[in-house]
Amino acid sequence: MKRSLLLGAACCALAAPAFAQDVQTAAVEDDLSANEIVITATRRAETVQDVPIAVTAISGDLINNAGVTDIRGFEQLSSSLEVFTGQSAATGTSLSIRGIGTAGDNPGFEPAVGVFIDGVYRARAGLALAELTPVDRVEVMRGPQGTLFGRNTSAGALSIITQGPSFDLGGYAEVSYGNYDAISLKGGITGGVTDTVALRLDGIYRTRDGYIRDVNSNRRFNNLDRYTLRGQALVEKEDLKIRFIADYSKTDEQCCAAVNVVEGMTAPAVQLGASLAGLTGIYTGKPSERRTAATPGRSYDEAVEEWGVSAEVTYDFEAVTLTSITAWRNWDVRRNQDIDFSGLDRAYREGYKPGLRDFTQEIRLQGSALGDRLDWLVGGFYLNEKLTLTDRVRFGTQANFYTDALFASSGFELFDTFGPAVPEFGQVLMALDPTLAAAAAGDPALFALLNSPLPGGSEGDGQINDRYRVKTEALALFTHNVFEITDALKLTLGLRWNHEKKKINANLNAVSPTCDFYLDPSTAILTGTLAAMAPDAILLTCNPTTNPEFNGLYNGSRSENEFTGTAKLAYAVTSDFMLYGGYDRGYKSGGYNLDRGGFDSVILGGDGGQIEDLEFDSEKVDSWEVGFKSQWGRAFTLNVAAFYQDFSNYQQLVFSGNSFVTMNVEKTVSKGVEAESTIRPARDLTFQLGYSLVDAKIKDGSNLVGTPLEFEAGKQIALIPRHTITGAATWTPPLSGTLNALVHADFRFQSEQATSSQSRGIADNEGFAVVNARIGVASADDKWRLEVFVENLFDKYYHIGTFAVPEQPGTIAAYPALPRFYGVSARIGF
């Protein structure tokens, strides 16, 4: 097979439809429309133009030209998709579609956008962050997918279909080098070993220096150091087809550091503490400099090990097709973190270890009836998941100093950091209250209490070992049917029954002498007065995240049953113009927030730790959509959809100022309009455009009083731009009979957006655009190619996201955008 990859990039829809079925056919069908990519969003092989759902199909050639290496890059090519990476690439990556997603660095939170790779469900977005081996196509399904894809797809689904084995011998090797000493090595080989068995092996290795510099130690954060191996076997025998896949990925990186945006009232104390060690507490330069201040000895280590195996079996009976997908996934993460995000050694996270063990089984039966007017499908899905988490948040060497430095200006200290120069809090109380002073004079124990510093924690105290274990079993039965009422009118009906059960066990162990002091009844007079006069002092010295009040064993369980489904009508006005509309019901399971900071402390007026404090309810969505899909000849397509999505109990993980808490927001609505177009004025020139208008807000009237989202009702959800435009242009003119050129550019424009609810109006992003480009030449027979590429061509800075730094009121930090990356790549193939 001789096929120019560069020519395929220009005709991205040309190669993709046939590539899913017959690669050789794609090489000769040059007159296909530029948007007739064959997809399986309905578990049937149909073109984008024929399915009555809003779906963005991205070909493998476009993915290569855009330089996409993992799922985070797909947002550059799909206007409705947003990808956010916070304090961790592995556990803090979230996806949103049409303004709805699941944010928060907590493995107990499951995604609202389901990710599927070759039909296998990935239970968290971080499980799909490994380097992508060659991709056939990507399908971004917008809106609830609660029938066929089912589990946790209340906002949408991202389906990635990779290239499989071929019976024709072939292979490739690619190397690239860029700034920040970026090196990428890729290679693969495929071929048949018998008439019925073909094999494929792909491997990727990437390394790159970090782009965030630590001003205290000249370290670099946010580097890359990862590799992926993926082997496949294909067995084809008449009516039987089996595809085996085994993959292994590993990363060992420093991720993810943040830069300072706003200094709060606590900044002088941070700077003072760091200066005593000869360090910078908070770097005050521009965020675009991508410099940060970290404590020496505290790191952002993040190591991930992931592997999995799957088998997809398809058997064609005389009238029915059976499909079975069986998979096992194993995912382990180890993270450290300087959680005060400064050169002050206030606190750190050491040995944060989430792990997932997932077994999934899906079975589908498909066929036709009523003279082929009914295309029916029934199936079942089963998930058995074991989630484990070990968390350790520890006190640093300056934990006590930081608190005393903050309150010294108020005339007291708690831990005797500054000695006689600053009185203890109890001494200040006696000076202000003569009655208390008289009582202390006659009570030696009270006198000693009021003249002594609080017992402070030592380095390494805090969460000694918090261990969680959550077992999930999910079962679903579903049916999806397309009935051809007339030659032009089709009705789609689908229904899914979802059953889910979760069991949690937790063993929590923390050490904090200060918290123990507050919990001691004999110290109530001092604790109560301190809580009344300086409530922040209680939270600073006894953060819920390290409060030993919650030590012990916890057990709980929850069970859910829910129906989801779809109903759609599609009418083909002509062979090139289709109207459609319908309703979808979506669902996302409830669960547990794996963070002791979610408990209610008696010190703060709560009723103590109850497992129910960590529980959150399932979210549900009713979605309506209308649209049309049109095509003018072979050179132009335009697809438009309007949607209204009404969410109840929308799940939110929000920062309360000292810890993360879970919330179910009563009513959230996402509505808007989407448009996509592919224009191909000439055979070697293709334009692809996308636009999304998304209005995503918490509805007025939602009960948010006293919560971190109290003032968020009626405002655009943080991180979601109202307007997004994406575009790509690819030109592949022949330079000679043996040489082709490639000129490619793609862009994504986002309008103004709030980067978090805590920094709204303070650290918002103005509208911005990110542009990527690639220029190259290749032999017409695809034996070799040479390309020069650049990502973020204009080096545009923006905040990926911002957050209120824990225990530093008013201080805002940001995860900075990637800088300009550029380099050269060379590829040879056979």
Side-chain angles (χ1 to χ4, degrees), residues 7-76:
L7 182 60
C11 311
C12 61
L14 205 110
F19 190 58
Q21 305 168 55
D22 186 344
V23 178
Q24 293 179 339
T25 303
V28 297
E29 293 186 357
D30 292 340
D31 62 341
L32 288 178
S33 162
N35 203 33
E36 287 188 348
I37 300 178
V38 170
I39 61 174
T40 54
T42 61
R43 303 300 194 189
R44 301 164 176 88
E46 301 175 279
T47 70
V48 174
Q49 298 304 104
D50 293 332
V51 293
I53 63 173
V55 55
T56 301
I58 309 170
S59 74
D61 289 322
L62 181 56
I63 291 169
N64 289 335
N65 290 334
V68 176
T69 58
D70 60 43
I71 64 173
R72 288 172 292 189
F74 293 136
E75 72 170 0
Q76 186 77 3

Side-chain angles (χ1 to χ4, degrees), residues 290-364:
R290 297 179 177 87
R291 292 175 178 265
T292 191
T295 304
R298 311 301 183 203
S299 72
Y300 291 93
D301 289 339
E302 181 169 288
V304 181
E305 185 176 36
E306 179 185 2
W307 61 270
V309 293
S310 66
E312 180 177 357
V313 180
T314 304
Y315 189 86
D316 290 326
F317 295 93
E318 185 173 343
V320 176
T321 298
L322 169 68
T323 302
S324 170
I325 303 177
T326 307
W328 172 267
R329 303 296 309 172
N330 192 94
W331 180 74
D332 290 292
V333 180
R334 186 195 73 249
R335 287 178 48 209
N336 296 332
Q337 188 181 31
D338 189 3
I339 60 174
D340 53 55
F341 297 94
S342 71
L344 176 81
D345 192 20
R346 163 65 170 162
Y348 61 98
R349 172 169 269 146
E350 181 180 61
Y352 181 83
K353 296 180 180 179
L356 278 173
R357 312 289 182 267
D358 283 345
F359 170 78
T360 57
Q361 174 65 59
E362 182 173 353
I363 295 179
R364 301 192 303 268

Side-chain angles (χ1 to χ4, degrees), residues 544-628:
T545 303
T546 56
N547 187 349
E549 171 191 347
F550 309 131
N551 286 356
L553 301 176
Y554 296 84
N555 298 281
S557 65
R558 55 178 290 119
S559 182
E560 301 171 357
N561 292 280
E562 188 68 32
F563 282 97
T564 57
T566 185
K568 287 187 171 70
L569 272 175
Y571 180 67
V573 179
T574 70
S575 60
D576 293 327
F577 189 89
M578 179 182 71
L579 293 171
Y580 72 93
Y583 165 81
D584 288 284
R585 172 74 168 176
Y587 154 78
K588 180 174 179 287
S589 61
Y592 297 92
N593 175 30
L594 307 186
D595 186 340
R596 71 160 62 202
F599 287 129
D600 294 327
S601 172
V602 296
I603 299 173
L604 302 175
D607 59 357
Q610 312 289 331
I611 194 63
E612 291 77 16
D613 296 338
L614 307 184
E615 191 172 352
F616 53 89
D617 291 331
S618 60
E619 75 179 30
K620 303 175 182 67
V621 57
D622 293 303
S623 175
W624 292 265
E625 180 180 310
V626 295
F628 69 82

Side-chain angles (χ1 to χ4, degrees), residues 59 78 136 195 219 244 406 470 577 602 636 653 672 756 811 822:
S59 74
S78 176
D136 179 19
D195 292 340
R219 291 179 292 176
F244 297 99
L406 288 178
V470 180
F577 189 89
V602 296
F636 180 77
L653 185 67
S756 75
T811 296
Y822 55 85

Side-chain angles (χ1 to χ4, degrees), residues 30-250:
D30 292 340
D31 62 341
L32 288 178
S33 162
N35 203 33
E36 287 188 348
I37 300 178
V38 170
I39 61 174
T40 54
T42 61
R43 303 300 194 189
R44 301 164 176 88
E46 301 175 279
T47 70
V48 174
Q49 298 304 104
D50 293 332
V51 293
I53 63 173
V55 55
T56 301
I58 309 170
S59 74
D61 289 322
L62 181 56
I63 291 169
N64 289 335
N65 290 334
V68 176
T69 58
D70 60 43
I71 64 173
R72 288 172 292 189
F74 293 136
E75 72 170 0
Q76 186 77 3
L77 307 173
S78 176
S79 61
S80 294
L81 176 67
E82 292 278 341
V83 183
F84 167 77
T85 298
Q87 61 180 321
S88 166
T91 64
T93 296
S94 65
L95 283 68
S96 69
I97 292 178
R98 293 177 169 175
I100 299 298
T102 303
D105 181 16
N106 191 302
F109 252 51
E110 298 173 351
V113 176
V115 179
F116 302 81
I117 300 181
D118 292 319
V120 176
Y121 174 64
R122 303 299 178 95
R124 305 292 186 279
L127 272 74
L129 276 183
E131 297 293 293
L132 290 170
T133 55
V135 173
D136 179 19
R137 68 187 184 280
V138 172
E139 302 168 14
V140 182
M141 287 162 275
R142 312 192 296 269
Q145 305 296 317
T147 305
L148 287 172
F149 290 86
R151 188 173 192 273
N152 293 343
T153 56
S154 56
L158 181 68
S159 178
I160 302 168
I161 296 88
T162 66
Q163 294 182 11
S166 171
F167 285 91
D168 295 326
L169 180 63
Y172 67 96
E174 181 177 322
V175 59
S176 67
Y177 180 78
N179 60 333
Y180 293 89
D181 283 332
I183 298 173
S184 175
L185 303 174
K186 301 179 182 180
I189 187 170
T190 186
V193 293
T194 70
D195 292 340
T196 59
V197 178
L199 302 178
R200 181 181 184 116
L201 179 65
D202 293 281
I204 302 173
Y205 170 73
R206 289 187 70 204
T207 181
R208 188 202 68 215
D209 290 344
Y211 55 85
I212 299 179
R213 187 183 294 275
D214 176 16
V215 297
N216 286 327
S217 63
N218 206 33
R219 291 179 292 176
R220 287 181 177 269
F221 302 125
N222 291 43
N223 67 314
L224 292 179
D225 189 355
R226 54 181 59 185
Y227 67 86
T228 294
L229 293 172
R230 197 167 196 259
Q232 301 182 63
L234 176 65
V235 179
E236 288 188 346
K237 290 184 177 181
E238 297 181 351
D239 297 328
L240 176 66
K241 181 178 179 180
I242 306 175
R243 185 182 181 187
F244 297 99
I245 303 175
D247 64 89
Y248 179 85
S249 300
K250 191 170 185 178

